[in-house]
Amino acid sequence: MKRKLLILLLMVVTLALVVAGCGGGETEDTSSSNGTDGSESSTNEGGTDSEATTEDSGESDDSTEVGYVLAGSDIFYQKGFEVFQGLAEENGWEVTKTTSDYDPKNEINNVQDMIAKGVDAIVLTTVNSSTGSKAAAIANEAGVPIFFVTALPDPNGEGVPDGSVSGPWYESGAGIAELAAAEHGPDSKIILIEGAYGQGIGELHRLGFLEQLAEEWDKTPEQVFEENVVFNQTGGWMTDEANTVMQDAITKTGGDFDFVFVMNEAMKDGVLKAIQPTGKDYPIYTINGQEGTVKQVADGVIEATYSIPPTTEAQIAFQQVKANLAGEDYPVFLKNVAVPVTEETADSPDIRPWLETEKYLEMAKNNETGIDISTMEEAGASDPDWSGQLDLNGAKSN
Amino acid sequence: MSELQVNKAEINKIPIGKKILKNDNTYLLTGLILYIVVISMIAPNFATQYNFSVVLQQLVVPAILAVGMCLVMVSGGIDLSVGNLLSLAACFMAFVIYNGGSVFVAILSAIVICVAGNLFVGFIISRTDLEPFIVTLGMMIAYKGLALITTNGAEFPIMGEMGFATSIRFFNFPLMIFIMIAVYILFWFIFRYSRFGRRLYAVGDNPEAAFLAGINVKNFKLLVYGINGLLVALASIIMLSRNEVGNPYLGTGLELDAIAAAVVGGTALSGGKGNIIGTFLGAVWIGIISNSLNVVGVSAFVQYIVTGGIIIAAVLVNSLRSKNA
């Protein structure tokens, strides 16, 4: 009898776990709505926006609901979500977050779940372009608008996004090359610590970097890779992995290189740790623009970075979703902002908060972020073709 | 009258109500119904035809893998490599199609890869003293490497080439759901009524006794892993058909879903115990948790805790019932 009671108790505990889980969810119902996204009131359509926002606030009783599907736990995605959620809450929306753990099948499942949940729109950071396209097709079929942040779906795929804001991955690679070429000559030896292979982001950084250097040094991109790059390997966007790879690079080259281009700032920390024991100061170029790195640039620890904040990206996506739900026209394919950060420009107001989302939301409220999609130009549905870069993945690591 | 006939006669005398109460699956099903009722009350969108179809679509691949896992586990083994083997097969199929090969050749290559791969595993396990856990762990890592080599770390999109498992529909449900149902009916029959099924329990329960009873235990285990490979091939075909992109991470974590489904369904890690209906209910449990929590709006991070809690609770209930029986 005792055992049966225990079994019954376990059943109740299971259900209680679920109900408790519901209480601990990310979904938050914000009934109060005391304003608009600050940046919008300053745009040319300020009046219209104000009206639309007032209407949105009124409609919040019907609870506009957005499903936000993250590719994984990367801090870039998390910070973007925090800003989107902050702006959405201010507008009286509910946002439900879920994550795909970098798994394509999870992404499809999550998008289907959000449709089943009855959300009004889906924001997706896709695991890869093909899966993104498939997810878009599912949302298209269900009549739910879908918006892509950070990465684009396959432009030749079956699904069509209702909005997208992708990173200027090619452009920032080219920008780093421009900064590096200003300091280093055509005989320079370069180490590339690259992002996870196959996603396209690392490959686009490299493509932009090689093409721009080729232009600066009057070579072909192939020549730059063959003659100047002495080591390239992925650090998987991770500090530890980049640390190991950089140690390998130092061993392989015997320390004979002129500068390092490391494609994100988490990996940059690993590169710095690997370089420290050599006692030398190698110039390091990186991408992200987090607050700590901007300070390192100002202090001369890092040569330069490129500020591509998730905060601005999220605000752009938010404005697209808002315009779509309000039935307004808006540019569908947009690129996030990219600002070069050097010792001279490290205190520029154009460098927006990256990690400090509360500060960014405060700026948005005060109309200080400078983000307004109505003034932005369509960027096109696709990035430059990077398929040829696949053969160069890790090619100089042996 | 033999002892077996006496026992059968005694079992037949047990009232049907008591039989149902004594069945492990009754509790799984009751819990599942209760869970669905509670979730439906919290989220009205949960109990819709669309979501019913979505849940079934999401559980097809893990459920098919769970059949193979149940088979292997009842025989006294385990297979940690199924997820990455699925990835490898899917990548290879996508590679073939992407490079102009026919879908038929691609499917054939997936079957060859999976069956050969699992026969290799089965050969090592049946002919050596190595633990299945270790052998399949090693193969899991090796398959990941092979999948990455096949794709060069990238992906092969094959949009519109192989979507038959989702595009062909009957009564508004995609073909893959009917394939899963067919697989379960077939293996329910095999487990319950075939000589193979009886031998499976015998080998898993006591391999020495099975050997003395005239069963070639080594070859039987080899066959079990071969069949498991065939089921992995089927799962990889459906997975690729659903996603239409060959990606080296497609099967990541699926081995854990399959093991969880089998264990929740009453399959013993020590072998000799398990059933197909329980495995199906276990797969539904695993499939429904993630979907339901998403629909309700539970944080993705809390979902892991709830899923883990439910698995432990289900296994604990089964264990307590077994001791009580």
Side-chain angles (χ1 to χ4, degrees):
Chain A
M1 188 65 190
K2 270 183 186 173
R3 292 241 160 90
K4 282 185 179 169
L5 273 174
L6 188 58
I7 289 167
L8 194 68
L9 190 69
L10 274 170
M11 291 277 189
V12 174
V13 168
T14 305
L15 291 172
L17 258 173
V18 174
V19 176
C22 301
E26 295 287 340
T27 310
E28 289 180 30
D29 193 350
T30 334
S31 54
S32 67
S33 177
N34 55 0
T36 67
D37 164 27
S39 67
E40 292 175 14
S41 59
S42 72
T43 66
N44 293 338
E45 299 171 24
T48 316
D49 269 350
S50 296
E51 280 172 29
T53 310
T54 311
E55 269 178 34
D56 283 347
S57 304
E59 282 167 8
S60 69
D61 292 339
D62 298 334
S63 66
T64 294
E65 202 173 341
V66 178
Y68 202 106
V69 183
L70 280 77
S73 55
D74 192 289
I75 193 156
F76 189 91
Y77 305 141
Q78 297 293 337
K79 290 295 161 186
F81 170 74
E82 283 173 25
V83 167
F84 188 94
Q85 189 186 34
L87 295 169
E89 280 178 0
E90 212 166 285
N91 220 45
W93 299 356
E94 287 180 29
V95 184
T96 301
K97 179 180 86 169
T98 186
T99 176
S100 306
D101 287 334
Y102 305 103
D103 187 330
K105 63 181 179 296
N106 285 351
E107 181 171 312
I108 300 291
N109 290 350
N110 283 331
V111 168
Q112 284 183 326
D113 289 350
M114 288 302 154
I115 293 166
K117 185 173 165 57
V119 296
D120 299 291
I122 294 169
V123 179
L124 174 66
T125 53
T126 185
V127 172
N128 62 57
S129 60
S130 304
T131 305
S133 172
K134 190 86 183 169
I138 291 168
N140 292 162
E141 196 185 334
V144 178
I146 185 162
F147 300 82
F148 285 75
V149 288
T150 309
L152 290 165
D154 182 354
N156 302 315
E158 51 187 320
V160 181
D162 296 273
S164 76
V165 47
S166 58
W169 313 130
Y170 174 90
E171 294 81 354
S172 49
I176 289 292
E178 209 174 323
L179 293 171
E183 302 290 331
H184 306 279
D187 296 328
S188 301
K189 292 174 182 168
I190 307 164
I191 286 181
L192 296 179
I193 306 297
E194 305 180 317
Y197 289 149
Q199 286 179 327
I201 296 174
E203 284 87 353
L204 278 165
H205 280 325
R206 190 204 298 138
L207 181 65
F209 181 74
L210 294 178
E211 289 190 347
Q212 187 62 38
L213 277 185
E215 199 179 313
E216 303 279 346
W217 291 342
D218 202 19
K219 293 182 177 185
T220 65
E222 292 75 23
Q223 280 174 324
V224 174
F225 189 78
E226 279 309 313
E227 295 167 11
N228 298 96
V229 176
V230 291
F231 184 93
N232 80 313
Q233 183 53 281
T234 178
W237 303 122
M238 313 287 281
T239 306
D240 279 0
E241 210 176 321
N243 180 251
T244 308
V245 169
M246 189 64 210
Q247 285 170 339
D248 292 346
I250 293 169
T251 306
K252 190 197 166 196
T253 59
D256 183 18
F257 58 91
D258 296 297
F259 68 92
V260 183
F261 172 30
V262 48
M263 292 180 179
N264 83 348
E265 291 172 3
M267 295 197 296
K268 174 263 303 174
D269 292 336
V271 167
L272 274 175
K273 273 185 200 163
I275 286 178
Q276 226 163 19
T278 67
K280 292 181 184 170
D281 284 329
Y282 293 103
I284 297 171
Y285 296 85
T286 187
I287 287 175
N288 273 167
Q290 292 181 19
E291 286 80 353
T293 310
V294 172
K295 190 174 178 309
Q296 283 178 324
V297 173
D299 294 345
V301 179
I302 299 294
E303 197 68 19
T305 186
Y306 239 82
S307 169
I308 306 174
T311 46
T312 48
E313 185 177 86
Q315 194 180 11
I316 293 168
F318 171 76
Q319 290 183 6
Q320 284 183 321
V321 176
K322 191 177 165 192
N324 178 288
L325 295 179
E328 295 166 2
D329 288 337
Y330 60 94
V332 173
F333 296 101
L334 291 173
K335 281 259 160 93
N336 193 8
V337 298
V339 181
V341 184
T342 60
E343 202 168 346
E344 293 75 38
T345 63
D347 57 352
S348 162
D350 289 341
I351 303 164
R352 282 86 159 189
W354 203 106
L355 291 167
E356 295 167 2
T357 51
E358 288 299 323
K359 187 176 170 187
Y360 186 86
L361 285 167
E362 197 55 39
M363 285 173 70
K365 234 181 211 175
N366 299 327
N367 190 23
E368 291 168 351
T369 63
I371 298 298
D372 177 3
I373 59 168
S374 66
T375 63
M376 296 174 85
E377 281 182 24
E378 282 273 4
S382 61
D383 285 311
D385 180 15
W386 51 270
S387 55
Q389 291 292 307
L390 286 170
D391 291 339
L392 305 186
N393 286 349
K396 289 284 182 82
S397 62
N398 298 320
Chain B
M1 197 182 277
S2 72
E3 196 182 321
L4 189 69
Q5 282 170 317
V6 172
N7 285 342
K8 209 172 179 184
E10 277 175 6
I11 288 167
N12 283 337
K13 277 183 198 166
I14 299 170
I16 189 140
K18 214 169 183 179
K19 268 187 196 170
I20 292 171
L21 276 177
K22 271 185 170 290
N23 193 322
D24 288 350
N25 296 333
T26 306
Y27 289 84
L28 266 181
L29 186 62
T30 310
L32 191 62
I33 292 168
L34 263 173
Y35 183 83
I36 290 170
V37 168
V38 170
I39 295 293
S40 303
M41 286 193 296
I42 298 168
N45 287 339
F46 178 71
T48 59
Q49 198 207 338
Y50 177 82
N51 197 42
F52 183 53
S53 172
V54 162
V55 170
L56 287 174
Q57 286 176 50
Q58 292 178 3
L59 67 85
V60 165
V61 170
I64 290 174
L65 291 178
V67 172
M69 193 61 75
C70 176
L71 194 70
V72 170
M73 285 169 71
V74 171
S75 78
I78 196 161
D79 190 351
L80 298 178
S81 68
V82 292
N84 284 348
L85 180 58
L86 180 146
S87 296
L88 171 63
C91 285
F92 199 81
M93 277 190 284
F95 175 79
V96 170
I97 295 168
Y98 187 81
N99 288 298
S102 73
V103 171
F104 176 75
V105 172
I107 288 175
L108 205 63
S109 64
I111 293 170
V112 170
I113 288 169
C114 292
V115 173
N118 251 35
L119 281 176
F120 177 66
V121 168
F123 185 82
I124 296 173
I125 290 169
S126 63
R127 264 66 184 178
T128 67
D129 289 335
L130 292 176
E131 284 294 322
F133 182 91
I134 302 298
V135 175
T136 56
L137 180 69
M139 290 307 291
M140 177 175 96
I141 297 164
Y143 288 143
K144 186 174 181 179
L146 286 170
L148 286 164
I149 289 169
T150 305
T151 59
N152 198 16
E155 58 182 17
F156 289 109
I158 52 160
M159 294 299 163
E161 299 283 344
M162 203 179 147
F164 61 87
T166 50
S167 59
I168 299 174
R169 286 176 171 260
F170 302 101
F171 312 109
N172 216 19
F173 287 100
L175 173 66
M176 61 182 181
I177 292 172
F178 297 95
I179 294 173
M180 174 189 70
I181 292 168
V183 166
Y184 268 88
I185 291 172
L186 176 69
F187 277 86
W188 174 77
F189 182 82
I190 289 172
F191 268 63
R192 202 171 168 87
Y193 295 112
S194 73
R195 196 171 70 162
F196 177 88
R198 287 190 293 277
R199 289 184 166 194
L200 182 70
Y201 286 107
V203 168
D205 194 37
N206 190 336
E208 287 81 14
F211 176 74
L212 292 173
I215 299 171
N216 186 333
V217 174
K218 287 180 179 177
N219 283 350
F220 189 83
K221 283 191 174 179
L222 188 64
L223 178 64
V224 165
Y225 277 93
I227 295 170
N228 185 38
L230 201 59
L231 287 164
V232 176
L234 179 63
S236 71
I237 292 162
I238 291 172
M239 177 64 96
L240 185 63
S241 181
R242 185 169 182 234
N243 289 277
E244 293 191 276
V245 56
N247 182 297
Y249 302 101
L250 265 183
T252 305
L254 279 174
E255 64 282 346
L256 296 181
D257 285 348
I259 292 170
V263 169
V264 167
T267 307
L269 284 163
S270 53
K273 185 174 179 275
N275 70 89
I276 284 296
I277 293 177
T279 300
F280 179 71
L281 291 172
V284 175
W285 258 112
I286 301 299
I288 217 165
I289 292 169
S290 168
N291 167 271
S292 60
L293 298 182
N294 267 340
V295 171
V296 168
V298 174
S299 152
F301 305 140
V302 177
Q303 286 186 23
Y304 290 112
I305 301 166
V306 176
T307 307
I310 287 173
I311 289 170
I312 292 169
V315 175
L316 197 56
V317 167
N318 257 334
S319 160
L320 290 172
R321 287 202 66 257
S322 301
K323 281 181 187 168
N324 206 23

